[in-house]
Amino acid sequence: MPGVPRDREAALALDAADPLAPMRSRFTIADPDLIYLDGNSLGRLPANAPAALQTAVSRQWGEDLVRAWPDWIDEITRIGDVLAEGVLGAEPGEVLVGDSTTVNLFKLAAAAAAAARGADPSRTVIVTNAANFPTDRYVLGGVADLLGMQLRLIRAGEIADAVGSDTALLCLSHVEYDTGERRDLAAVTDLARGRGVRVLWDLSHSAGSVPVQLSAAGAELAVGCTYKYLNAGPGAPAYLYVRRDLQPLLQTPIRGWFGQQDQFGMQRDYAAAEGIRRFAAGTPPILGLPLVEIGARLIAEAGIKRLAAKSVALTEVIIELADAWLTPLGFGVATPRDPARRGAHVSLAHASALPICRALIEAAGVVPDYRAGTDGDGLIRLGPAPLYTRHVEVWDAMARLRDLVAAGQHQHFGAEPGRVT
């Protein structure tokens, strides 16, 4: 891994030697002066995405009309295989694309928790961490209420003590949305399975930026979105993963005709399809599927090892410059310093995080985002997606942040949260 650049010229030299540098030209960069560090929330637009969407709209929908369905009908599994091979380290027939992350989380959480209690009635607790992404906690609470179970919220370091003979399911994020902390997929999976507990992983903040390798980790269940590091666009279809040997053992709580064994046997009772398709529900969002494939193929072409190495390098620049430049200005680093324990974004804590974030966006030409912290300070999340972010952009963003706060520019911006932060 290259060292942290000592000056801006050194950052430019790292970019000149970066094997991923050509990938930047594969994206739409509408404003070259804008430093975009929010790839952990919404990825950039791939340059070939508009043409792919135009084909789906104008030719397939516009010209072929319903005759396009033979081309569309199996896209949820075909593109699932593209994700499995190129991004998730899974096997063919184990990944399904469609629905939102929220819906997929509900399907797998309800199916796994019900199966666990069916095998052992004493397993009535669903475990997740109190700082997990809100949707995950909301969904798991709803599943617990629906099944007459209890949701147990724990702190990050309490997993080993909280998972036991009463646990029906453990659900965690691979990379935490707020601090960027990354969990060891294999170690946590092994710990839980040793106690007879399945783990449902949310990969939304990790897939496409850090190694996932579901098969190698022994993972059984996972969900994730495609609009962050996979660059499939806002509201793009999500995905779910169920290891092949587990698929026949689980029953989705949302039954739809795409999950029916004889999909066009309209008068027949429901019988779940074989394989991963049994977890499908209604008609998938056809127009979004080509964009998922584009994003997945870009990740596969870049190579997850190279992406992960660059993620480490870019986040290391943020952390070291934060220590050198920002600590005297009241900042703290809320993200683990060990590269093996962090994802591809870094969260900086500050008492005035929200107005600083607004000032960065509106006055400094840097786009991060803001999240509320848990200890009083807010968090400014800096997400330099490795597929298209340059080292010099990170250097310049940190310099602009330092100069902005040192000059007190953020004091002219409000601290009241807006509709979107």
Side-chain angles (χ1 to χ4, degrees), residues 46 48-49 52-57 60 68-83 95-100 104 226-227 230-240 258 277 280 282-297:
N48 59 338
L53 187 57
Q54 182 66 25
T55 295
V57 172
Q60 292 182 302
W69 267 111
D71 295 328
W72 291 335
I73 196 75
D74 291 320
E75 289 291 82
I76 56 176
T77 51
R78 185 187 67 79
I79 297 173
D81 287 347
V82 174
L83 273 171
V95 178
L96 182 76
V97 180
D99 294 319
S100 67
N104 287 334
T226 62
Y227 51 78
L230 300 185
N231 307 293
Y239 59 88
L240 60 81
F258 264 74
R277 188 150 195 156
T283 304
I286 293 298
L287 298 182
L289 292 175
L291 307 187
V292 176
E293 181 172 9
I294 286 173
R297 291 196 182 279

Side-chain angles (χ1 to χ4, degrees), residues 117-392:
R117 187 175 62 181
D120 181 352
S122 67
R123 293 190 179 274
T124 59
V125 176
I126 298 172
V127 177
T128 193
N129 56 308
N132 201 354
F133 189 69
T135 282
D136 294 43
R137 290 186 282 109
Y138 303 157
V139 167
L140 296 172
V143 170
D145 289 347
L146 184 68
L147 299 180
M149 293 186 174
Q150 171 193 350
L151 178 63
R152 179 181 295 158
L153 299 177
I154 63 172
R155 296 182 182 274
E158 299 174 343
I159 295 173
D161 295 330
V163 175
S165 60
D166 64 348
T167 308
L169 179 69
L170 172 63
C171 184
L172 299 169
S173 289
H174 185 203
V175 171
E176 293 290 356
Y177 84 100
D178 52 359
T179 64
E181 180 178 0
R182 174 161 46 126
R183 292 192 172 85
D184 188 322
L185 268 174
V188 174
T189 298
D190 286 347
L191 181 151
R193 292 305 296 143
R195 302 177 185 185
V197 177
R198 292 195 169 95
V199 187
L200 171 53
W201 291 100
D202 186 337
L203 308 176
S204 294
H205 286 85
S206 59
S209 63
V210 300
V212 174
Q213 298 302 312
L214 293 174
S215 294
E220 294 179 307
L221 301 166
V223 298
C225 71
T226 62
Y227 51 78
K228 302 181 190 298
Y229 298 108
L230 300 185
N231 307 293
Y239 59 88
L240 60 81
Y241 159 84
V242 182
R243 201 172 69 189
R244 186 181 299 277
D245 62 324
L246 187 58
Q247 292 169 11
L249 307 180
L250 299 182
Q251 301 296 324
T252 177
I254 304 178
R255 298 179 178 185
W257 75 314
F258 264 74
Q260 159 75 320
Q261 191 177 90
D262 182 5
Q263 184 173 359
F264 288 91
M266 303 292 187
Q267 306 306 315
R268 301 183 64 176
D269 291 339
Y270 182 84
E274 298 294 323
I276 193 66
R277 188 150 195 156
R278 66 172 47 217
F279 299 98
T283 304
I286 293 298
L287 298 182
L289 292 175
L291 307 187
V292 176
E293 181 172 9
I294 286 173
R297 291 196 182 279
L298 282 169
I299 295 296
E301 180 182 342
I304 195 62
K305 288 185 178 179
R306 294 196 300 181
L307 288 167
K310 188 174 177 183
S311 287
V312 170
L314 293 174
T315 53
E316 201 72 20
V317 174
I318 294 174
I319 291 171
E320 292 211 12
L321 293 183
D323 288 343
W325 293 349
L326 301 183
T327 298
L329 298 174
F331 285 87
V333 176
T335 300
R337 295 171 181 272
D338 179 357
R341 294 187 55 237
R342 70 172 182 261
H345 72 270
V346 175
S347 293
L348 302 177
H350 195 280
S352 299
L354 183 51
I356 291 172
C357 187
R358 286 180 171 168
L360 277 171
I361 295 171
E362 298 178 34
V366 178
V367 179
D369 65 15
Y370 166 85
R371 294 293 180 264
T374 57
D375 58 359
D377 287 352
L379 299 175
I380 299 171
R381 298 193 308 175
L382 303 176
L387 199 56
Y388 49 74
T389 306
R390 298 175 296 175
H391 295 81
V392 74

